[in-house]
Amino acid sequence: MRELDFFLGEWAGQGAFATGKPIEADVSFVGDLDGQVLVYRHADRLPNIFKSLSAWSFNAATNQFEAVLHDNFGGVRRFAAAGWLANQLVFEPAPAIGAAAAPPAERFVYEKLTTTTFKMTYERDRHDGRGWRLGDYLVFKLKTRQSPVELLDWQRDRFVLFDKI
């Protein structure tokens, strides 16, 4: 999971949909479960309303990163990534647990641009022979960096509470 420490912190992004319509979003990445999970929150700025909460982890059995994404439209999707390749981390569809096949083709490409910027591209494959097509992209700039050893506020509070018992 240390390979994903680059993302730790809060980020602000600007970009556009495939139509050219602008989009802005705020995201945060926080380590959890003793560094075994990266919790990723995404919130589009108005007038867009998309929000998601994702948990990224490493599956030693498959030797891949996995992501389970929940969104404010009730969607739950699972993705897998082989790891960093040429400064890109590509999460592609993975079958839901217990499912025989992967869901409709969509993927997220995270590309390190500098030590304080990354580009996230959402793409879909409509199985029309044209391959991956842009849905939207955002370029994120780091607002604040989180140390890999920092705890979430609720974790700090819980440990303080246990110390008082």
Side-chain angles (χ1 to χ4, degrees):
M1 289 301 295
R2 300 301 306 222
E3 287 184 54
L4 303 182
D5 284 355
F6 165 81
F7 292 108
L8 291 170
E10 297 180 8
W11 304 76
Q14 296 181 328
F17 290 96
T19 62
K21 177 184 170 192
I23 182 175
E24 294 184 10
D26 295 296
V27 300
S28 67
F29 293 86
V30 178
D32 204 345
L33 296 176
D34 299 328
Q36 297 303 306
V37 173
L38 190 63
V39 178
Y40 168 32
R41 290 183 178 273
H42 176 111
D44 282 357
R45 293 184 192 156
L46 294 173
N48 300 306
I49 60 171
F50 179 78
K51 294 181 178 91
S52 67
L53 172 66
S54 185
W56 294 6
S57 60
F58 184 76
N59 184 333
T62 62
N63 200 35
Q64 292 184 318
F65 289 102
E66 293 186 356
V68 177
L69 183 146
H70 299 262
D71 66 43
N72 60 319
F73 299 110
V76 180
R77 300 183 301 281
R78 189 167 165 256
F79 299 88
W84 290 106
L85 300 171
N87 281 337
Q88 290 189 340
L89 182 67
V90 181
F91 277 102
E92 296 190 323
I97 295 172
E106 60 183 338
R107 70 180 182 181
F108 293 90
V109 179
Y110 298 87
E111 180 181 4
K112 289 185 204 178
L113 301 175
T114 69
T115 58
T116 58
T117 60
F118 75 91
K119 182 178 183 181
M120 188 278 301
T121 304
Y122 172 73
E123 299 173 320
R124 292 190 57 89
D125 183 352
R126 301 192 191 280
H127 304 291
D128 59 3
R130 296 170 73 184
W132 293 106
R133 297 178 65 196
L134 178 67
D136 63 64
Y137 76 91
L138 292 135
V139 175
F140 288 95
K141 294 180 182 176
L142 183 65
K143 295 189 320 188
T144 59
R145 177 75 70 193
Q146 179 204 15
S147 164
V149 296
E150 284 186 53
L151 296 172
L152 293 170
D153 288 338
W154 70 267
Q155 290 175 309
R156 274 194 286 272
D157 295 344
R158 183 182 71 198
F159 291 130
V160 168
L161 176 64
F162 286 150
D163 288 343
K164 292 180 181 179
I165 294 178

